[in-house]
Amino acid sequence: MFSVVLVTYNREKQLFDALKSVESQSYLPKEIILINNGAKKYKKSDFKLTRLFKKKILIINNKKNLFQSAARNKGSYIAKGEFLCFLDDDDKWEKNYL
């Protein structure tokens, strides 16, 4: 039902916290699309997520910084969920956000 589009730019600690907040939702999203605008390239093994979430996460490592709006648009085009939810890498959701 929900697709989460999470954009990050060189804030690894905050990104991990944001992902944990998505993982702890009482209603789990269909997918998480991580758009990485930063210098470090991520892969699924970089994140300590449950097996279920490793299947749900799609990581897009951009070659250059697309900035917030273009990165969100890119995630929106890929999303398969009925509803889009946007999360910044320095934000966290309360447990019942979704």
Side-chain angles (χ1 to χ4, degrees):
M1 180 179 266
F2 294 104
S3 291
V4 175
V5 177
L6 198 163
V7 177
T8 189
Y9 180 78
N10 296 337
R11 292 195 275 209
E12 191 167 322
K13 166 75 170 93
Q14 293 91 336
L15 171 61
F16 292 155
D17 292 342
L19 281 170
K20 287 280 184 201
S21 79
V22 175
E23 191 176 35
S24 68
Q25 291 297 298
S26 55
Y27 188 92
L28 298 179
K30 178 177 185 170
E31 63 184 347
I32 302 166
I33 302 167
L34 174 63
I35 307 292
N36 178 22
N37 280 327
K40 179 180 178 179
K41 303 306 176 200
Y42 290 112
K43 52 190 181 283
K44 289 183 183 185
S45 61
D46 293 329
F47 305 101
K48 293 179 181 171
L49 300 171
T50 63
R51 182 181 300 181
L52 173 66
F53 266 73
K54 286 199 180 198
K55 290 180 182 177
K56 290 185 175 200
I57 193 167
L58 171 65
I59 300 171
I60 308 294
N61 289 300
N62 291 326
K63 293 182 181 177
K64 64 178 187 170
N65 186 353
L66 298 181
F67 300 98
Q68 191 75 346
S69 60
R72 283 183 174 175
N73 286 342
K74 187 173 188 175
S76 298
Y77 296 135
I78 297 168
K80 296 180 178 119
E82 188 177 344
F83 300 101
L84 293 176
C85 301
F86 297 99
L87 178 63
D88 293 332
D89 59 4
D90 62 342
D91 290 334
K92 292 184 238 177
W93 286 342
E94 295 294 324
K95 187 175 182 173
N96 294 318
Y97 184 80
L98 291 183

